[in-house]
Amino acid sequence: DSGVTQTPKHLITATGQRVTLRCSPRSGDLSVYWYQQSLDQGLQFLIQYYNGEERAKGNILERFSAQQFPDLHSELNLSSLELGDSALYFCASSVGQVTDTQYFGPGTRLTVL
Amino acid sequence: GQQVMQIPQYQHVQEGEDFTTYCNSSTTLSNIQWYKQRPGGHPVFLIQLVKSGEVKKQKRLTFQFGEAKKNSSLHITATQTTDVGTYFCAGSGGSNYKLTFGKGTLLTVNP
């Protein structure tokens, strides 16, 4: 158990819909990272927040957005969902810097039908 | 942008054989991390290398960081069925706040 929690574990929805994925970092960690993992693309970095502020952006689509709240939990919002958005979404947390060890949550499996 | 390439994509070995996965970056890295993801699981941190030419060992696993800090390798001696999983390298460099993951090497071990 990494100490990072993610909800829900599984999500099945239809194209065009909007979903919210939630992540609670390990106690004491200030950074939260979101990754998308699909079979053909591997582990793709989406976005990082540090203490409530966006720190780095990766290959995040405009239809996706995220935020980190004062209690440091984070939410990833995916809208206008497409079939290709079906993937495993991981949240990870670290103490602060990108060079710190990242602890991954169990992931949310999103299926778009 | 920074790219991290990992080979091979897949490796199937007999239990007891050795295994190596290689990681190459398009740019000089300030550090490289290795993660393991078991089937159905999430990536778990194994180790971080920061110094040029650094070699670290964890039991049967040996990690190396190249002299130019652009490549790295993970070598497993005498594989066991518990070694099954996908091994990812991930690097960051300079002021780049992103940790770029390689696509991983899926290791399967035949008992």
Side-chain angles (χ1 to χ4, degrees):
Chain A
D1 182 9
S2 65
V4 178
T5 58
Q6 285 187 252
T7 56
K9 207 168 185 178
H10 301 277
L11 201 46
I12 301 174
T13 189
T15 54
Q17 294 297 305
R18 173 190 167 92
V19 296
T20 298
L21 313 184
R22 184 189 165 104
C23 168
S24 291
R26 289 189 326 151
S27 175
D29 285 357
L30 298 178
S31 275
V32 168
Y33 310 80
W34 286 98
Y35 292 89
Q36 180 192 57
Q37 185 174 44
S38 55
L39 281 172
D40 57 339
Q41 289 297 318
L43 205 57
Q44 295 284 315
F45 168 71
L46 295 177
I47 198 163
Q48 179 201 357
Y49 279 84
Y50 174 78
N51 204 21
E53 298 204 357
E54 183 184 303
R55 169 66 69 88
K57 235 176 184 176
N59 301 321
I60 189 165
L61 299 171
E62 283 191 16
R63 300 183 285 109
F64 296 0
S65 65
Q67 57 184 128
Q68 187 179 27
F69 294 87
D71 67 351
L72 300 177
H73 92 269
S74 179
E75 292 182 356
L76 178 67
N77 300 296
L78 315 176
S79 61
S80 303
L81 285 168
E82 301 175 1
L83 295 177
D85 297 328
S86 296
L88 252 179
Y89 291 83
F90 285 108
C91 165
S93 73
S94 74
V95 172
Q97 304 304 320
V98 72
T99 50
D100 295 330
T101 300
Q102 293 188 20
Y103 296 88
F104 282 75
T108 293
R109 182 168 292 283
L110 173 66
T111 303
V112 182
L113 301 175
Chain B
Q2 183 176 289
Q3 291 186 348
V4 174
M5 289 142 289
Q6 206 173 338
I7 56 168
Q9 200 173 349
Y10 307 98
Q11 184 80 59
H12 178 75
V13 299
Q14 288 292 127
E15 191 171 21
E17 291 182 340
D18 292 357
F19 159 76
T20 305
T21 173
Y22 300 90
C23 187
N24 288 288
S25 169
S26 57
T27 59
T28 301
L29 300 170
S30 58
N31 76 95
I32 194 153
Q33 300 179 10
W34 285 91
Y35 290 78
K36 176 184 178 181
Q37 184 177 17
R38 292 183 190 275
H42 58 273
V44 174
F45 175 80
L46 294 176
I47 209 159
Q48 177 171 257
L49 305 170
V50 295
K51 296 178 188 172
S52 168
E54 189 169 14
V55 178
K56 284 190 176 179
K57 292 192 175 188
Q58 286 180 350
K59 296 184 182 177
R60 294 177 296 103
L61 278 61
T62 302
F63 304 84
Q64 288 189 309
F65 201 7
E67 294 289 340
K69 300 184 77 174
K70 293 181 78 172
N71 57 62
S72 180
S73 65
L74 157 59
H75 180 81
I76 302 178
T77 304
T79 53
Q80 299 174 358
T81 55
T82 52
D83 295 326
V84 164
T86 301
Y87 292 84
F88 292 97
C89 63
S92 64
S95 60
N96 183 358
Y97 286 105
K98 306 174 197 177
L99 192 63
T100 304
F101 279 77
K103 289 203 170 182
T105 297
L106 172 60
L107 171 66
T108 54
V109 180
N110 205 26

